[in-house]
């Protein structure tokens, strides 16, 4: 992959971009970063000589193209290294007109700035040592966060999260790596500089941190991306009606014709700070209709990916049939909530018959029992007890690096138990160091950086 031409590691340029969303608004902020940020702004700004002002000050003035006034603006100054990127940074607050924004950026480019690439400000912050790689990634997560939980885990990671813990452990491992390298230099003499007992103890310590972090991913991931919950059941039991009741809007078409929903329909709601993604599905039944059959197939796929399945029943189903369904779900190891819909139609006699089953009773149409169902869902996914202040891994790249580190360290342990020569031990320790370093960005490749920063928006 040679799209790293996209990656702008050259920090000699001064870059410029709109930092606020595009379109018109009350205020827009245009940001410059780089050695010439202040000088370039000075060329078009009338009010004060910005080069003579101190850092962290704001100045009122006009932006001019020749003698034409483009706008009255406020200019904020951040002098290197006291800025987001550690470079000179200027933020120009203008009136939020597309015309003004375009003209101002054009003027600044004419003055010597270059249009920034996606994520380039944050890339510079990383390259200039303002933050490590996992913190830079957390900036993107923070911007994307849409719930209390996703906000909290992103904020925690941006503020350092597990980076410093991993860095410390890595330092200690480096110490052993260098001792073992030394043994290689004296390989004729069969000496051991690296105390194997201490090395073993360190590897155990690191592994316990790794397994805690790896375990946290399952929860961290759903806190960040939302909990997928599938609503499943036979045609016509009221799945789409339930989706609408949960979302409190008419999202899916409801009708008394079995097979109304043929594709999956998804939408999100937040319950107590946690995002749930509810997925309405085509009811599972045998069908000759090709489109409906495709929908049924998709239902099965979605059920596999779901964190929780709501099994919806209606009073036309017998206790035996319901029990059978629930047993099947349990045998597949799926986390499930069993719900009887249309309680308005359930007779007393039926209630008696169903009493042994662990059912939640609702009427989706009349919005009865919906809040209780939400509580039950929250209880079942067991996420509301999580302390989002705990260090949590939310990024698939990080968890993969952690797993690779763990594998390499297990080989180190095996090599101590069943003594291998120092060079093998050194190789496995190096591998572990490599993967650990990948998380914080001590070790990087252009492809990795490209991959991460190209996903940012321009201006960040
Ligand atoms: N009496 C009663 N009828 C309900 C209730 N909830 C839904 N219905 C009715 O049940 C019928 C089917 O509802 P849908 O939501 O379309 O059912 P579905 O499970 O999505 O059906 P398919 O998409 O065909 O699989 C509609 O006529 C709804 O009005 C309820 O609580 N009580
Ligand atoms: Mg439906």
């Amino acid at each position: 992959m040679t799209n790293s031409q996209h990656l702008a590691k050259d920090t000699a340029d001064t870059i410029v971009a709109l930092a606020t969303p595009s379109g018109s608004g009350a205020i827009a902020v245009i940001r410059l970063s780089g050695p010439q940020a202040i000088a370039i702004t000075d060329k078009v700004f009338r009010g004060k000589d910005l080069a003579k002002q101190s850092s962290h000050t704001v100045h009122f003035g006009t932006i001019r193209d020749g003698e034409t006034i483009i706008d009255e603006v406020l200019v904020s100054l951040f002098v290197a290294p006291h800025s987001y990127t550690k470079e000179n940074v200027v933020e120009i607050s203008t009136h939020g007109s597309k015309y003004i924004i375009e003209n101002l950026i054009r003027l600044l480019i004419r003055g010597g700035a270059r249009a920034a690439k996606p994520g380039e400000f944050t890339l510079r912050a990383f390259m200039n040592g303002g933050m490590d790689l996992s913190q830079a990634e957390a900036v993107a997560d923070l911007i994307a966060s849409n719930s209390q939980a996703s906000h909290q885990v992103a904020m925690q990671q941006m503020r350092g999260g597990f980076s410093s813990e991993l860095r410390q452990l890595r330092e200690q491992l480096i110490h052993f790596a260098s001792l073992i390298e030394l043994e290689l230099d004296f390989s004729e003499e069969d000496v051991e500089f690296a105390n194997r007992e201490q090395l073993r103890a360190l590897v155990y310590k690191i592994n316990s941190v790794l397994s805690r972090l790896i375990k946290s991913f399952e929860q961290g991931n759903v806190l960040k991306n939302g909990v997928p919950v599938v609503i499943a059941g036979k045609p016509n039991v009221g799945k789409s009606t339930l989706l609408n009741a949960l979302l409190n809007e008419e999202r899916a078409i409801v009708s008394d014709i079995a097979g109304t929903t043929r594709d999956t329909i998804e939408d999100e709601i937040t319950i107590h700070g946690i995002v749930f993604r509810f997925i309405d599905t085509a009811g599972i039944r045998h069908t000759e209709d090709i489109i409906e059959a495709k929908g049924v197939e998709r239902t099965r796929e979605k059920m596999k990916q779901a964190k929780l399945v709501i099994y919806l029943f209606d009073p036309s189903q017998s206790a035996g049939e319901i029990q059978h369904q629930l047993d099947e779900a349990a045998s597949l190891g799926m986390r499930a909530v069993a719900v009887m819909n249309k309680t308005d139609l359930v007779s007393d006699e039926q209630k008696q018959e169903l009493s042994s089953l662990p059912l939640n009773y609702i009427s989706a149409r009349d919005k009865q029992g919906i809040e209780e169902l939400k509580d039950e869902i929250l209880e079942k996914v067991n996420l509301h007890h999580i302390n989002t202040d705990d260090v949590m891994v939310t990024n698939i790249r990080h968890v993969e690096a952690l797993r690779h580190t763990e594998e390499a360290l297990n080989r180190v342990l095996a090599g101590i138990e069943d003594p291998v020569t120092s060079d093998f031990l050194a190789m496995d320790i190096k591998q572990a160091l490599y993967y650990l370093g990948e998380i914080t960005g001590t070790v990087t490749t252009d492809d990795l950086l490209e991959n991460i920063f190209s996903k940012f928006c321009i201006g960040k």
Side-chain angles (χ1 to χ4, degrees):
M1 223 170 41
T2 52
N3 54 356
S4 39
Q5 66 216 29
H6 198 96
L7 186 70
K9 281 173 88 177
D10 181 8
T11 54
D13 292 351
T14 295
I15 52 175
V16 62
L18 176 66
T20 43
S22 61
S24 42
I27 294 171
V29 175
I30 289 156
R31 175 157 64 174
L32 293 110
S33 179
Q36 299 303 315
I38 297 170
I40 291 170
T41 311
D42 249 339
K43 289 185 195 169
V44 296
F45 179 75
R46 291 266 188 94
K48 278 180 201 154
D49 185 353
L50 296 173
K52 296 203 175 107
Q53 311 303 319
S54 41
S55 186
H56 294 69
T57 53
V58 182
H59 308 278
F60 175 77
T62 55
I63 296 285
R64 298 190 187 220
D65 181 4
E67 280 316 303
T68 313
I69 296 180
I70 302 291
D71 198 7
E72 294 187 340
V73 301
L74 283 180
V75 171
S76 311
L77 290 183
F78 304 90
V79 179
H82 305 292
S83 72
Y84 181 66
T85 58
K86 303 271 164 201
E87 303 174 330
N88 282 340
V89 168
V90 175
E91 289 179 6
I92 309 175
S93 304
T94 70
H95 293 98
S97 128
K98 276 178 131 172
Y99 178 80
I100 293 173
I101 296 164
E102 276 169 21
N103 272 280
L104 180 49
I105 291 180
R106 198 174 306 144
L107 268 179
L108 294 166
I109 289 175
R110 210 191 298 155
R114 160 170 79 65
K117 302 199 163 118
E120 198 171 358
F121 290 91
T122 308
L123 173 64
R124 287 189 174 192
F126 163 66
M127 291 202 307
N128 295 326
M131 55 178 78
D132 71 28
L133 202 52
S134 76
Q135 287 174 302
E137 289 169 296
V139 172
D141 292 346
L142 189 68
I143 294 170
S145 70
N146 60 354
S147 69
Q148 189 192 7
S150 57
H151 166 259
Q152 235 163 301
V153 290
M155 182 58 90
Q156 199 232 47
Q157 190 180 323
M158 195 181 75
R159 294 180 65 82
F162 46 80
S163 303
S164 60
E165 193 173 12
L166 290 187
R167 239 191 325 265
Q168 266 178 25
L169 295 172
R170 191 167 181 274
E171 294 292 316
Q172 294 176 39
L173 200 56
I174 286 175
H175 170 70
F176 275 100
S178 54
L179 290 178
I180 289 182
E181 290 290 333
L182 214 54
E183 288 176 13
L184 298 180
D185 293 342
F186 291 86
S187 56
E188 316 280 277
E189 291 152 54
D190 195 24
V191 286
E192 273 192 11
F193 293 112
N195 181 310
R196 299 299 191 259
E197 270 319 301
Q198 283 173 7
L199 176 59
R200 192 208 317 257
L202 176 64
V203 171
Y204 273 130
K205 190 165 101 185
I206 298 177
N207 268 352
S208 81
V209 173
L210 294 182
S211 68
R212 168 164 57 78
L213 290 175
I214 291 168
K215 244 173 75 187
S216 78
F217 176 70
E218 197 196 339
Q219 292 174 334
N221 187 42
V222 291
L223 288 182
K224 182 165 118 182
N225 297 319
V227 187
V229 180
V230 158
I231 306 171
K234 280 180 47 169
N236 238 2
V237 293
K239 298 180 295 297
S240 300
T241 313
L242 174 58
L243 177 78
N244 291 344
L246 286 164
L247 299 174
N248 218 357
E249 67 174 288
E250 300 309 303
R251 181 75 174 74
I253 297 173
V254 167
S255 87
D256 55 5
I257 303 164
T260 304
T261 309
R262 292 165 158 233
D263 204 346
T264 50
I265 301 173
E266 314 193 7
D267 219 328
E268 294 181 348
I269 57 163
T270 305
I271 306 176
H272 292 289
I274 295 166
V275 173
F276 286 84
R277 197 151 37 81
F278 286 102
I279 305 156
D280 177 23
T281 61
I284 293 187
R285 65 166 173 176
H286 185 71
T287 171
E288 300 295 327
D289 181 316
I290 298 172
I291 297 172
E292 197 188 346
K294 278 216 161 118
V296 171
E297 200 179 301
R298 195 166 291 183
T299 300
R300 293 214 164 90
E301 260 167 47
K302 286 283 174 188
M303 282 172 75
K304 273 188 228 148
Q305 296 160 11
K307 198 97 189 113
L308 183 73
V309 179
I310 298 178
Y311 277 100
L312 197 61
F313 303 101
D314 79 2
S316 72
Q317 294 170 273
S318 70
E321 192 183 339
I322 294 170
Q323 186 66 58
H324 178 75
Q325 268 277 290
L326 294 179
D327 290 346
E328 202 175 85
S331 73
L332 293 172
M334 268 189 271
R335 227 180 281 192
V337 174
V339 180
M340 172 59 75
N341 188 26
K342 310 188 188 179
T343 44
D344 50 299
L345 301 179
V346 178
S347 65
D348 286 345
E349 192 185 332
Q350 248 175 330
K351 266 210 178 106
Q352 192 61 35
E353 195 196 331
L354 296 168
S355 61
S356 64
L357 294 168
L359 289 171
N360 297 271
Y361 288 84
I362 65 163
S363 167
R365 191 193 60 188
D366 305 337
K367 297 202 167 85
Q368 296 286 316
I370 302 298
E371 289 310 312
E372 291 82 350
L373 178 58
K374 284 183 184 172
D375 289 343
E376 171 79 12
I377 290 167
L378 203 59
E379 192 65 41
K380 264 276 167 22
V381 295
N382 198 26
L383 282 171
H384 56 305
H385 301 302
I386 291 177
N387 185 356
T388 37
D389 293 336
D390 285 349
V391 171
M392 221 175 282
V393 178
T394 61
N395 185 309
I396 184 92
R397 185 184 80 79
H398 299 168
V399 81
E400 261 159 26
L402 291 169
R403 286 195 187 117
H404 285 135
T405 312
E406 198 178 40
E407 280 163 26
L409 287 179
N410 284 335
R411 285 196 298 274
V412 172
L413 278 183
I416 300 172
E417 298 306 331
D418 186 5
V420 292
T421 50
S422 311
D423 48 343
F424 280 110
L425 217 47
M427 203 169 69
D428 291 328
I429 292 178
K430 265 192 201 150
Q431 281 254 297
L433 286 172
Y434 176 86
Y435 289 120
L436 269 182
E438 251 191 0
I439 297 172
T440 52
T442 318
V443 181
T444 58
T445 62
D446 282 359
D447 277 348
L448 175 67
L449 292 181
E450 163 71 24
N451 200 354
I452 290 170
F453 288 99
S454 62
K455 293 196 186 92
F456 276 68
C457 43
I458 290 176
K460 191 61 230 173

